[in-house]
Every structure is written in C-alpha cells, then in structure tokens.
Amino acid sequence: MRLVILPNSDDVAEFACDLFAQQLTNKPKSVLGLATGSSPTTLYQKMISRQKAGDLSFSQATSFNLDEYVGLSGDHPQSYRHFMNEQLFNHVDIDLARTFVPNGVADNPNDECKRYEELIALAGGIDLQLLGIGINGHIGFNEPLSSLSSRTRVKTLTKSTIEANSRFFGDDERQPTDSMTMGIGTILDARQVVLLATGAHKAQAIKGCVEGPVSASCPASALQLHEHAIVVVDEAAAAELTMKDYAIWAETRHQAMEQM
Ligand code: F6R
C-alpha cells in the first residue's frame, strides 16, 4: 500500500487530480470508478478546471459510480446520479451515456446489482477506482461485517452512516436506509485504487484501513490486499498513524526513485 500524507485537503485533491490526469493521458478510453460525498468534491472541481483549460479530457472515458440509494430516482436531488451530474458530468466533456450509476428505482434491485456487475465486466473492468472512507471504515456502502469478497448488491446502511449522511437531507425529506453498492470484491478487482480522506474525524478509520488487521470490521482494511492501492490523506486524517514518519520518508524515496 502506498500511503501519501499531505499538508491539507487541497493538496490531497491536487494529488488525486494528477493521478486521474495521468491515467486519462496514458489511456484515454479508461474506465473510471467514481465516488460521491464530501471527499471528492474538490477533486471534481479541479478536474473541471483542468478539462476547461484543455489539460484533461474525459471524451473517451467510461465511468461507474460506487453506489446509489435504493428508492431514489436519478432526478432526485439527493440521488448519487444527480450528485455526479451536478458535481462533475455536466461540466466536463464526458459522454453521459457512458456514465453509470446503479438505478435506485429498478423494479428488482437485486437484478439491477447483477446487471451492474455485468456492465463493469463488459466495459473491461475498472482501471482506476476512487474511494472515500466512512467514519466506521466503510468503502462504497460496504458497512462493517461486509464480506471481503462481496460483489455489487443491496446493503442496509448502519445507523452511523445514516446519521453521517443526514446532513444532505432536509428535515421533511425521507432518507433511504438501503443502498446498492459495488462489493469489496468488485472494488478489489479495479487495476488501481485511490482512497482520499481528510479531517480529524477520519483519523480512526484511516488507522484501521492502513495499520489495522484485515477484517470485515473495517472494510477499508481490505485495501491492504490490493497490489496497487494508494491512500492519500491530510495531516489531520493521519494523526492516529503509528507509521506516519516512516510513510512520509518512504514517499520521499518513492518520488526520488520515480525521477531516476
Ligand atoms: C460515496 C461512498 C461512501 C463515501 C463515504 C465518505 O459514494 O461510497 O463510501 O465515500 O461515506 O463520505 P464523505 O466523503 O462524505 O465523508
């Protein structure tokens, strides 16, 4: 696992933007795995600026989002499809027809999850998967106790996740309690994975992800099994790490060797 500790959240977004730009330059037809929530919003703003400046193009790319709420249609303001359209897709040169988010109002959510897995396989698999992390260590909506080899499926949210995401819903709005999410096995199949975390409230989850035992109790710890996983955090999210000094030093060496 490559652990990159940067001074602040803007640096984290800039680092991730470089990674996506490199991916799209090396392979314009890349299949990108995308995420919603607070963690990627600065990254998406940076992607938009770079695309408008002509430094980045999504014109041949395909994307698959991690998850969607069961019961919310794509035009619902709190749906993840709506989030992606607003935060990224409507502002860059991506072909909307090649952006995929599970259909939250599919007649049969289980069949929709199977279809989603098939679509990812048909597209050739995910080249670069973006992740955030929940305060309980979830990735996608794979809550603690999720099987480490799970595939896209319906997953009931924990009380802590429902509470953490209640900030996006109005008092009189019904907040869904179930989701469709790529599984941990689906995420681990991506050729490269990058997880972003900023802020002190993520420090415990990052410790579990990076230094904890590989365990269903902290789904993000499964990234320890991935050959090409990069965890990019700010100082605050790195605060609980025992190996922090080593990680900073190792990253300096990594960059020096890249320049050789
Ligand atoms: C979002 C997702 C979630 C979030 C996580 C962190 O598509 O799958 O795992 O990445 O809940 O959310 P934020 O970034 O809002 O703290």
Side-chain angles (χ1 to χ4, degrees), residues 211-232:
E211 294 180 348
V214 174
S215 159
S217 300
C218 177
S221 66
L223 297 190
Q224 293 173 30
L225 300 170
H226 198 288
E227 205 183 346
H228 300 292
I230 311 181
V231 173
V232 192

Side-chain angles (χ1 to χ4, degrees), residues 24-65:
L24 287 163
T25 303
N26 294 345
K27 185 179 174 188
K29 287 188 174 170
S30 287
V31 179
L32 307 177
L34 299 176
T36 60
S38 311
S39 303
T41 51
T42 311
L43 164 63
Y44 292 158
Q45 281 159 21
K46 286 181 187 287
M47 284 175 166
I48 294 166
S49 307
R50 285 205 204 181
Q51 198 267 296
K52 296 223 181 303
D55 297 334
L56 182 69
S57 175
F58 296 89
S59 62
Q60 298 182 61
T62 298
S63 72
F64 286 91
N65 262 79

